[in-house]
Amino acid sequence: MNTTGQDQEKKSLLKAKQLLRVLSAQSASTFANQVIALVVPWLVLTRTGSAASAGTIAFIMGIAALAGTLTGGLVTDRIGGRRVSALADSLSLITALMLAAALWLDSFSLWLVAATQVLGVFFDGPGNIAKSTMVPAAAQKEGIPITRAMGSSQTLQGVATFVGPITAGLLIATVGEANTLLVTTVLFLTSIVLVARLPKQVITHERPMSPVQAVRDLREAVRFLIKEPFLGKMQLVGPLMGAVIIPISALIFPAWFVFGQQDSRALGTFLGAGAVGGMVGGAIFAALAQKLPQRTWLIGATGLYGTALLGLFFLQPGSIPAIMVSFVAGTMMSVMFAVPFTAFYARTPQRLLGRVGSLGAANGALFGAVASLGFGYLINNVSAPQALLASAAIMVGIAIALTAFPFVRLLDRPTEPAETPDAEASELILTGDAR
């Protein structure tokens, strides 16, 4: 066993300060967003008692995410992830502080929640895309294999996703929603400071940015997706998954717990169990991905995720069996994300990552927004368990459909990222440090 080689590999990652700053900033921002993701629906549901109102807020946030992700990918490819990340986290910090101040002054209103969250979510998308695009560049700069960098990113993201809901649930129960939001401002500030210490990016383009050029840049990404045999067709299936995955955590699970007379700590524990499952699922996929066809992983995980949602229909929120099923659901969801995510990085040229990623995210945000509105009214008129049942039926239906789609077989065929004919030359220069 070559322990010396392993030790050198570990040391190289620990010494990769630039990469560690990117990953730490990514984790701090994710942690903050996970806390807010629990605070907002909990706040609306407990203050209004209306799932329809919560669904409407989720719909508005989804539309804002749609606009933000489209803009974010375009801007990130133009001016670089460092600037976009710092700007996005700064504005997210301000919106969280605004809502916290309103709660301190006891002036809660739905329009204020909607306004602050529209602004916050609009900037979250660009910030997430910006940080993701900085990981490969930082890894290359530090001489770290991209697989190790992405694996470390997913692990830390999983930890943040696990800690976020549990922390939010405990803080809401002990110090209230306003002070919980204050914690997120500290996390956003931490992310800003870490990104500010990264080397400056100077990106040059043959053509300056203009409204016409922005349309051309997006059109280039759209053309790539249309011609790409797997990613293009996945744009038709992925949004249907988003129609369940987005409202399930933002609306359905919180409503299930609130109307089931469970407290915020119980919801945080439940969501945290799903996040732990996500970390386990990611580790299992990383270790065993080559043992089974990628098509089998995707179809199997989608079907089992739907089955897990069906199981929750028969359980009580906050119960030990429900927490165990949440863990299983999180494991399957992690694999569901890992398969198309891997295909995305393998098939997309580096210079199009921001735009192509934003198109996919925007597509999912649109379907998720519309679904959130529908699920809100379904919960209001029927019940949260019935919404779980509908979600389970959709996911199982998608799994069955994936077995019949020929393009899914392309997952197991090797490919090289294709270039588009109207590619514009660009140059990225990292200059010194941030000072």
Side-chain angles (χ1 to χ4, degrees), residues 194-241:
L194 288 167
V195 169
R197 298 185 64 189
L198 294 170
K200 292 182 179 180
Q201 296 175 308
V202 179
I203 302 178
T204 59
H205 294 268
E206 287 184 351
R207 307 184 188 104
M209 175 55 81
S210 67
V212 173
Q213 187 58 44
V215 172
R216 288 175 179 170
D217 286 351
L218 279 177
R219 185 173 59 193
E220 182 183 2
V222 171
R223 285 179 176 174
F224 168 78
L225 279 175
I226 291 173
K227 294 180 179 180
E228 218 295 320
F230 173 77
L231 296 178
K233 293 181 176 63
M234 194 64 190
Q235 297 302 307
L236 304 175
V237 178
L240 294 177
M241 294 180 172

Side-chain angles (χ1 to χ4, degrees), residues 317-406:
S319 65
I320 297 299
I323 293 174
M324 294 172 64
V325 173
S326 176
F327 173 85
V328 174
T331 304
M332 294 302 105
M333 184 186 291
S334 178
V335 176
M336 284 167 52
F337 279 125
V339 175
F341 187 73
T342 301
F344 164 69
Y345 271 99
R347 293 171 174 268
T348 307
Q350 174 70 32
R351 62 184 183 77
L352 289 177
L353 284 177
R355 280 168 284 170
V356 173
S358 68
L359 285 172
N363 207 5
L366 176 60
F367 275 72
V370 174
S372 295
L373 191 62
F375 276 119
Y377 281 93
L378 176 63
I379 294 170
N380 227 38
N381 294 319
V382 187
S383 69
Q386 292 298 324
L388 280 173
L389 186 61
S391 300
I394 293 171
M395 294 307 300
V396 172
I398 292 173
I400 294 172
L402 287 173
T403 64
F405 291 151

